[in-house]
Amino acid sequence: MLVVALPGGAATAAALASELQCPVTELVVHRFPDGETLVRIDAPVQGECVVLAGSLHQPDSKTLPLLFAADAARELGAARIGLVAPYLSYMRQDARFHPGEAVTSRSYARLLSTAVDFLVTVDPHLHRWNSLTDIYAIPSTVVPSASAIALWLRNQVSEPLLVGPDSESAQWVAEVARLAHAPWTAMVKTRRGDRDVSVVLQPDPAWRGRTAVLLDDIVSTGHTMAAAAEALRDAGFTAPTCIAVHALFEDGAMERLKAAGAGRIASCDTVSHATNAIPLGPLLAQATQALAER
């Protein structure tokens, strides 16, 4: 097996290769003045299972190098080509909300399904799709982050109360709470725009004395989690711990969370960020090995 780091994926690739005890190389990417891209794999791939590794946030600049690398590996004799993308992009647009819109989750899935033979990812944003098999035509494994987050909580937070900022987060929050043996709740969110949200918490006297832990799968601008932190503060909680599975943290999100009264901010290492505290490398390696051996 050979692990190839996609642009921005050096840390993910290194952790994966260490767990798999296999070689790792970084995809060489050259951009010409006219905007075109050349890629090169500086390692022999003949007969190997080549695993392209790296998260796909900011995907428009990463997808063409990924496709070119997969095509080059296949032409150079790779036995199989896999993709380990802890953060899988283009999952939010899972319906045609306005006439003429592309359902990009389906479009992107078709594109990747023609390029690689298998896919490993972490907690993709499955809302209207029941599973990745609804849209991906290749074998895929979803690695759940819940067990790693629960372990971190047991070691780091005393008497936690797991809180989801909206109903969509309930699926992750409930499972982490079960594994951490902690109570949980989910707020009710009203979204009026990408940067205009409000949330409502229904407090319970039984939660008195517990440390609130906000958990969401994706934190992008941070507006939803910041609104949830303010609601917890208004309900009498001290600064909540905030956990993101995928720490995109765009557009001043960190500053927004701190201004809302957030305490410690932690994330899984699906997207490289200063808040990374919860490693998923061993889980990704297990899933990759299993698919590679099929």
Side-chain angles (χ1 to χ4, degrees):
M1 192 178 297
L2 170 69
V3 176
V4 178
L6 294 171
T12 295
L16 186 64
S18 176
E19 292 290 337
L20 292 170
Q21 298 184 335
C22 72
V24 59
T25 188
E26 192 161 347
L27 183 69
V28 178
V29 179
H30 176 75
R31 301 195 188 281
F32 293 101
D34 62 0
E36 292 188 1
T37 298
L38 171 71
V39 304
R40 186 178 74 244
I41 303 173
D42 280 345
V45 303
Q46 178 73 39
E48 298 283 357
C49 176
V50 174
V51 177
L52 306 175
S55 276
L56 295 176
H57 58 298
Q58 301 295 327
D60 289 7
S61 63
K62 296 178 178 180
T63 300
L64 276 180
L66 185 166
L67 297 176
F68 293 155
D71 196 50
R74 204 175 297 280
E75 288 186 349
L76 293 169
R80 297 192 75 199
I81 300 168
L83 172 62
V84 176
Y87 176 72
L88 183 62
S89 55
Y90 284 112
M91 290 299 296
R92 295 188 183 192
Q93 185 78 11
D94 51 10
R96 187 169 289 110
F97 300 104
H98 302 286
E101 287 183 342
V103 183
T104 49
S105 58
R106 186 162 48 214
S107 302
Y108 199 65
R110 287 173 179 157
L111 186 65
L112 293 187
S113 293
T114 64
V116 300
D117 299 314
F118 64 85
L119 167 67
V120 176
T121 190
V122 176
D123 290 337
H125 191 77
L126 293 171
H127 182 38
R128 291 172 180 84
W129 303 121
N130 293 319
S131 70
L132 285 182
T133 57
D134 287 350
I135 51 176
Y136 279 84
I138 52 176
S140 60
T141 296
V142 171
V143 173
S145 61
S147 62
I149 295 173
L151 177 62
W152 185 86
L153 280 173
R154 289 197 297 269
N155 292 328
Q156 298 291 330
V157 180
S158 177
E159 296 293 315
L161 165 68
L162 275 293
V163 182
D166 55 30
S167 59
E168 288 185 13
S169 65
Q171 57 183 310
W172 291 281
V173 174
E175 180 61 9
V176 172
R178 183 184 70 83
L179 295 170
H181 308 293
W184 71 278
T185 188
M187 297 183 180
V188 177
K189 179 175 75 172
T190 301
R191 179 182 291 279
R192 291 171 289 274
D194 289 343
R195 294 170 174 79
D196 184 10
V197 297
S198 62
V199 297
V200 176
L201 172 71
Q202 298 294 332
D204 186 327
W207 300 337
R208 189 172 293 110
R210 287 190 171 267
T211 300
V213 178
L214 278 167
L215 172 62
D216 207 356
D217 63 329
I218 300 171
V219 178
S220 181
T221 64
H223 284 278
T224 295
M225 191 165 275
E230 290 177 351
L232 286 167
R233 184 186 59 194
D234 293 344
F237 286 92
T238 56
T241 297
C242 296
I243 300 177
V245 178
H246 305 296
L248 302 186
F249 289 131
E250 309 286 352
D251 193 27
M254 286 288 289
E255 294 76 9
R256 190 167 292 112
L257 289 176
K258 289 296 185 182
R264 182 173 182 180
I265 302 171
S267 64
C268 298
D269 60 355
T270 61
V271 177
S272 183
H273 193 265
T275 59
N276 290 166
I278 306 169
L280 299 179
L283 298 176
L284 289 169
Q286 291 171 16
T288 302
Q289 189 74 57
L291 282 179
E293 292 175 351
R294 279 191 184 180

